């Protein structure tokens, strides 16, 4: 049954907004009148598919945020654990939703469910909001009759992933702010302060110190050609991003990232944590190992590690053990391989993957804090040296004038 978003006025003259299910817009208006409301506007929500069958989207704001997805999953799992039917659970979610888009999304899913669709099929109509792994796990939960348990584990997975991303972002926020502020200060000093002060000494016909001459040259270059340098940098960034669309170049770049000094282990830990946590929740939810590997592969951002998982999937399909298949290219850390091998021997692969995921997340957090901790003093030191050179370039002519006066 289609869903309709409405705006209406009650008997007291107060405005009311909400969602109603009806066979048509005319039937929706009739239902509103039966409730004592005067409909002002009634718009279809479920009719969001374009001619290709894909969900229509507007330019901005039409996507669940990670926090909204986590809250949606946790609330739905709790309601289903309380033995509420799926339709009633979505009705409760609809009442609690705050953002208009979230209400429309829940109403659309509820409408599909009321029409006889499964939850996974209803979620498939909104691929931007619910990723492949999300829908695959929901379908698995429906298949084994443990939807509430699978959703609860999925909520744990999303919350843990969000917490990890937040920690990494916070670790690099301060260095990023320091970099922007330092760069802005140096540009201001070079383009305004240095020329204003040093121009005073130009009229004295005094021979300026070498450092001052160099600083004036840099200042003139930044003022006259800085915008050209900026355009060149932007063009290089676009050219590099375009070059990375070439699979061969992207593969070589990502291979180098895995072995890069300092950052290489961070890249490896980040992708390993994603892979292990995804594989743990998929295998633990009853997803077949080959499908679980395919889903876990799609969460990797490094194409070199993704290629290794593809090769490992082929080997597993041929009967090779997962640990042996993943150890072929040495991209994944030995600890993960050992944990997977132990899980295969003991028959507790999901539990071992969960432990490996937790260990990699802790390692990732530690490395992020280490890199951020190293960046902070380096940035401050570089900023201090640059400002010192600028100050010396300004003070040296003054010192020479005072010596001449004496």
């Amino acid at each position: 049954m289609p869903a309709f978003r409405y705006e209406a006025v009650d008997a007291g003259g107060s405005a009311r907004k909400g969602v109603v299910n009806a066979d048509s817009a005319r039937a929706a208006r009739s239902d509103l009148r039966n409730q004592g409301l005067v409909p002002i506007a009634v718009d279809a929500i479920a009719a969001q598919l374009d001619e290709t069958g894909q969900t229509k989207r507007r330019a901005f704001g039409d996507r669940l945020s990670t926090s909204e997805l986590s809250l949606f999953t946790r609330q739905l799992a709790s309601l289903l654990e309380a033995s509420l039917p799926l339709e009633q659970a979505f009705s409760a979610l609809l009442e609690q939703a705050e953002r208009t888009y979230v209400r429309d999304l829940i109403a659309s899913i509820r409408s599909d469910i009321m029409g006889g669709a499964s939850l996974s099929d209803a979620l498939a109509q909104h691929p931007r909001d619910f990723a492949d792994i999300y829908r695959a796990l929901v379908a698995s939960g429906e298949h084994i009759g443990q939807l509430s348990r699978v959703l609860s584990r999925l909520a744990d997975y999303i919350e843990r992933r969000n917490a990890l991303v937040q920690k990494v972002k916070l670790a690099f926020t301060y260095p990023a702010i320091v970099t922007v502020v330092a760069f802005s200060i140096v540009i201001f000093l070079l383009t305004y302060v240095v020329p204003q002060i040093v121009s005073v000494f130009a009229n004295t016909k005094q021979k300026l110190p070498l450092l001052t001459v160099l600083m004036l040259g840099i200042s003139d270059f930044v003022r006259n050609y800085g915008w050209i340098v900026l355009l060149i940098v932007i063009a290089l960034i676009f050219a590099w991003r375009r070059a990375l669309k070439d699979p061969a170049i992207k593969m070589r770049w990502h291979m180098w990232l895995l072995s890069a000094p300092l950052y290489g282990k961070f890249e490896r830990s980040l992708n390993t944590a994603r892979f292990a946590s995804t594989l743990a929740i998929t295998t633990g939810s009853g997803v077949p190992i080959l499908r679980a590997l395919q889903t876990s592969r799609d969460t990797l951002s490094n194409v070199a590690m993704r290629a290794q998982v593809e090769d490992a999937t082929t080997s597993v399909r041929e009967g090779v053990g997962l640990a042996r298949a993943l150890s072929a290219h040495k991209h994944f850390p030995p600890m993960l391989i050992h944990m997977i091998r132990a899980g295969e021997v003991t028959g507790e692969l999901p539990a071992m993957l969960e432990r490996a995921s937790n260990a990699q997340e802790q390692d990732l957090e530690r490395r992020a804090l280490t890199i951020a901790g190293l960046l902070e003093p380096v940035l401050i030191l570089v900023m201090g040296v640059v400002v010192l050179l600028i100050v010396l370039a300004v003070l040296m002519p003054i010192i020479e004038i005072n010596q001449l006066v004496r």
Side-chain angles (χ1 to χ4, degrees):
M1 184 178 293
F4 296 86
R5 186 193 312 110
Y6 71 83
E7 295 182 13
V9 178
D10 59 17
S14 300
R16 299 278 294 276
K17 295 182 179 180
V19 177
V20 63
N21 291 94
D23 292 328
S24 64
R26 184 174 183 179
R29 293 188 180 91
S30 178
D31 290 346
L32 292 173
R33 293 190 185 96
N34 293 336
Q35 298 175 26
L37 301 175
V38 178
I40 298 175
V42 177
D43 300 317
I45 294 175
Q48 295 180 343
L49 300 181
D50 57 21
E51 60 276 4
T52 64
Q54 296 296 321
T55 304
K56 290 181 180 179
R57 299 292 179 185
R58 292 169 295 186
F60 301 100
D62 285 352
R63 190 171 185 175
L64 282 180
S65 66
T66 54
S67 58
E68 288 173 336
L69 180 61
S70 173
L71 180 62
F72 168 84
T73 308
R74 177 63 68 189
Q75 290 178 335
L76 182 58
S78 300
L79 292 170
L80 294 179
E81 287 173 352
S83 300
L84 261 70
L86 195 57
E87 179 184 336
Q88 294 184 19
F90 271 90
S91 297
L93 290 175
L94 187 60
E95 295 176 358
Q96 300 176 32
E98 298 180 357
R99 194 157 66 97
T100 301
Y101 176 72
V102 178
R103 287 197 300 270
D104 292 351
L105 178 64
I106 294 174
S108 179
I109 296 172
R110 186 185 68 169
S111 175
D112 291 337
I113 292 172
M114 292 174 64
S118 64
L119 177 58
S120 57
D121 290 337
L123 297 179
Q125 301 300 318
H126 310 276
R128 288 188 60 191
D129 297 310
F130 303 100
D132 291 340
I133 177 178
Y134 194 103
R135 303 196 304 271
L137 290 173
V138 169
S140 173
E142 291 175 322
H143 179 71
I144 64 178
Q146 297 288 338
L147 182 58
S148 60
R149 182 175 66 86
V150 171
L151 283 171
S152 180
R153 293 195 62 188
L154 186 55
D156 293 337
Y157 166 76
I158 297 173
E159 290 169 357
R160 191 169 65 248
R161 184 189 63 183
N162 291 347
L164 179 63
V165 171
Q166 189 68 19
K167 289 178 181 178
V168 173
K169 286 183 177 179
L170 287 176
F172 289 101
T173 296
Y174 179 73
I177 293 175
V178 171
T179 301
V180 172
V181 172
F183 190 75
S184 301
I185 291 174
V186 170
I187 293 297
F188 173 74
L189 290 175
L190 288 175
T191 58
Y192 183 77
V193 175
V194 171
Q196 291 290 330
I197 296 178
V198 179
S199 62
V200 175
F201 304 104
N203 298 327
T204 63
K205 307 280 179 133
Q206 175 189 355
K207 184 178 180 181
L208 297 177
L210 178 61
L211 179 60
T212 305
V213 173
L214 291 175
M215 200 61 64
L216 281 175
I218 296 174
S219 175
D220 291 338
F221 179 82
V222 170
R223 283 187 300 162
N224 297 325
Y225 303 103
W227 63 275
I228 297 178
V229 174
L230 180 61
L231 290 178
I232 292 175
V233 171
I234 295 175
L236 289 175
I237 292 174
F238 276 103
W240 178 244
R241 295 184 63 179
R242 187 178 182 85
L244 286 180
K245 293 181 180 180
D246 186 329
I249 296 177
K250 189 172 185 178
M251 175 64 73
R252 288 197 296 269
W253 169 245
H254 282 198
M255 288 279 289
W256 181 84
L257 286 179
L258 292 175
S259 58
L262 191 62
Y263 178 77
K265 292 183 178 180
F266 179 85
E267 174 83 1
R268 195 185 304 268
S269 296
L270 175 62
N271 283 273
T272 301
R274 287 178 179 174
F275 175 79
S277 59
T278 305
L279 193 59
I281 190 174
T282 49
T283 54
S285 301
V287 178
I289 184 63
L290 294 177
R291 176 69 184 277
L293 283 171
Q294 181 181 2
T295 304
S296 303
R297 179 205 62 194
D298 294 337
T299 64
L300 297 175
S301 60
N302 189 283
V303 296
M305 299 182 73
R306 187 180 299 178
Q308 180 179 352
V309 175
E310 291 177 357
D311 294 341
T313 304
T314 302
S315 299
V316 171
R317 186 179 292 110
E318 296 172 353
V320 179
L322 179 58
R324 181 181 174 186
L326 285 177
S327 62
H329 299 287
K330 310 298 183 184
H331 289 328
F332 288 96
M335 186 273 295
L336 175 65
I337 306 299
H338 294 323
M339 296 293 281
I340 291 176
R341 184 175 290 111
E344 290 177 323
V345 172
T346 61
E348 297 182 354
L349 181 60
M352 290 299 178
L353 285 168
E354 188 72 25
R355 293 181 183 178
S357 171
N358 293 334
Q360 287 300 311
E361 289 175 1
Q362 294 174 3
D363 182 68
L364 177 64
E365 182 180 352
R366 186 180 71 253
R367 292 187 186 282
L369 293 175
T370 300
I371 294 175
L374 291 174
L375 283 176
E376 292 174 15
V378 169
L379 290 172
I380 293 175
L381 179 61
V382 171
M383 176 64 179
V385 170
V386 172
V387 173
L388 176 63
L389 292 175
I390 294 175
V391 171
L392 287 176
V394 173
L395 289 180
M396 288 179 68
I398 299 176
I399 295 174
E400 290 187 358
I401 289 178
N402 288 336
Q403 291 177 347
L404 289 174
V405 169
R406 291 178 183 178

